[in-house]
Amino acid sequence: MSTIEYNPKSPHAAEFIHDGEIRSTLEYARQMRNDRELIEEILLKAEEGKGISHREAAVLIEVEDKEVEERIYAIARKLKERIYGNRIVMFAPLYLSNHCVNGCVYCPYHAQNRTIPRRKLTQEEIRREVIALQDMGHKRLALETGEHPKLSPIEYVLESIDTIYSIKHKNGAIRRVNVNIAATTVENYTRLKDAGIGTYILFEETYDREAYEKLHPTGPKSDWAYHTEAMDRAMEGGIDDVGIGALFGLSNYRYDLVGILMHAEHLEARFGVGPHTISVPRIRPADDIDPKDFPDAVTDDVFRRIVAVLRLAVPYTGMIVSTRESKRSRELVLDVGVSQLSGGSRTSVGGYADEQDMENVEDSAQFDISDDRTLDEIVGWLLELGYVPSFCTACYREGRTGDRFMSLAKRGLIGDCCAPNALMTLAEYLEDYASPNVKLLGKNMIARQTQIIPSEKIRRITLKNLEEIINGKRDFRF
Ligand code: SF4
Ligand code: SF4
């Protein structure tokens, strides 16, 4: 009998991601899934926008009643509309290197894969990638790299971040670099913070320790506790925006949903601020990886429910979906909670600059892309659906991070900045990168949306800035 007790404030992974608490939560949810009184209480609480606990979320993921399911979606939609309006923040991943010492069985970069071409970008190659990304219109990147202490040490990552921020090509600029690298030390997190990163992102893959250890048989990542405590070290190192996530389909999705929420509750309990973002990737085919080997793969319907329940549980946490998802499934989850999308992505090392050598490049991809539309096509599609694609990076550049950001968000004040910032950054995109059709759609959207900015002062400044953008000025923000 285990003597480890559940303690959300503990610095030890086994105590804050407590297996016994997760299993008893799942059992509780199974027993209560038809309890109308309890479900009603949870839905009313969710509607207030103050979040629901991991136990309450577990009940909502189990509910079978169609009418209740529709109410979950309706509340998720309402919360999303209230907090994020119709804005969707755009970003792109940038892969630096696919050399990796780990043995993750679901990833083609695992060390034992001898068929995948290996590559590490030089600083000159990074320049080419960044220029290609700037020419698409991107302002916000997520840096990705395999774990390799010799070939991709922290110094390489820091130098690459400097290179990325230094490149100013035409009107382009990368204004926020989020970083997704392997779990590391407090000291290295401080160095990343000092290099000016936005969010530090690390997925737990699966919160189920037993499954985790089977899926990560070799390499430093096989240490579940070290990996699970990474966000604690990141926060101790001074990074206050962290992004968590699970790779849905690796293990039981109910377990992972509860795990994500317990992780969020832990960060809130220990550091006073929960995760800035949650990512919800799903298992995808890739070189050496067949999704059929993963019997827990989640269906579109389950995936949508997961996103909606997360939106109810952590209303102020951004939710990210990548190009692993198809256009159709992205549409389904945009509606119930997703607030950030990648677009025009290449998941291979050197994939943006090497378009002419596509065959070679795609061979080195981390996963197959389901949504292979260009950024311009995605911007146009979002506009047609009534969303405002946003290239905003203002908060982190204005020092609105961590608990400062959350306190503004929870008081409903961040929307006053997001709406005009979205319109101004969209206007920059339209002037510099959009096709004629997308430009027209975007201009109409901006004309409509500026009318409904509630504060007269902000509306006036926004209109003036929009004029200036047409006249060639850039980088306005609230
Ligand atoms: Fe390496 Fe990350 Fe792939 Fe694991 S998931 S093999 S750590 S690149
Ligand atoms: Fe995000 Fe802040 Fe920009 Fe709003 S104003 S979109 S919260 S960076």
Side-chain angles (χ1 to χ4, degrees), residues 44-263:
L44 286 175
K45 184 176 168 193
E47 236 165 358
E48 287 175 27
K50 294 193 174 134
I52 56 175
S53 70
H54 64 270
R55 285 216 160 205
E56 292 162 336
V59 174
L60 295 189
I61 209 81
E62 280 289 343
V63 167
E64 284 167 335
D65 186 309
K66 282 282 157 210
E67 199 190 313
V68 175
E69 185 177 26
E70 285 311 317
R71 279 188 63 201
I72 293 171
Y73 292 141
I75 296 170
R77 220 171 275 132
K78 211 151 79 183
L79 288 176
K80 192 188 165 204
E81 172 65 27
R82 196 192 306 161
I83 298 164
Y84 302 88
N86 55 355
R87 301 173 294 276
I88 302 292
V89 170
M90 306 302 303
F91 77 100
L94 171 58
Y95 283 75
L96 294 183
S97 163
N98 63 358
H99 293 277
C100 192
V101 293
N102 288 309
C104 317
V105 302
Y106 50 86
C107 172
Y109 293 172
H110 66 81
Q112 288 75 25
N113 186 357
R114 306 273 174 239
T115 59
I116 200 162
R118 302 281 175 179
R119 189 168 174 193
K120 171 191 164 184
L121 298 181
T122 62
Q123 297 307 307
E124 189 44 44
E125 285 169 329
I126 292 172
R127 279 186 63 81
R128 287 174 54 214
E129 288 288 277
V130 170
I131 287 171
L133 282 156
Q134 288 185 3
D135 281 345
M136 289 161 76
H138 279 294
K139 300 284 187 262
R140 181 188 281 249
L141 297 186
L143 216 62
E144 316 268 345
T145 180
E147 180 168 10
H148 202 296
K150 284 209 185 92
L151 288 173
S152 325
I154 189 75
E155 290 73 20
Y156 169 69
V157 176
L158 296 170
E159 188 187 358
S160 305
I161 294 168
D162 269 359
T163 301
I164 295 167
Y165 278 133
S166 73
I167 298 164
K168 304 278 179 282
H169 169 71
K170 298 185 185 163
N171 279 339
I174 299 302
R175 298 174 181 157
R176 178 177 177 129
V177 180
N178 298 332
V179 172
N180 179 358
I181 62 163
T184 185
T185 59
V186 173
E187 189 201 354
N188 284 345
Y189 286 124
T190 305
R191 294 169 82 185
L192 286 169
K193 167 81 181 169
D194 294 344
I197 70 162
T199 310
Y200 171 65
I201 303 163
L202 184 70
F203 301 156
E204 184 63 23
E205 318 297 8
T206 175
Y207 283 87
D208 181 340
R209 181 173 191 164
E210 209 183 311
Y212 181 98
E213 286 170 353
K214 280 194 195 122
L215 291 158
H216 304 92
T218 56
K221 193 168 166 182
S222 60
D223 185 338
W224 178 82
Y226 188 75
H227 187 82
T228 309
E229 291 158 9
M231 293 314 187
D232 293 63
R233 291 192 301 282
M235 288 202 167
E236 284 162 20
I239 295 177
D240 48 9
D241 281 352
V242 299
I244 62 175
L247 181 48
F248 282 97
L250 285 182
S251 187
N252 182 319
Y253 68 83
R254 298 170 174 91
Y255 195 108
D256 284 330
L257 177 88
V258 173
I260 286 180
L261 292 175
M262 282 168 62
H263 202 171

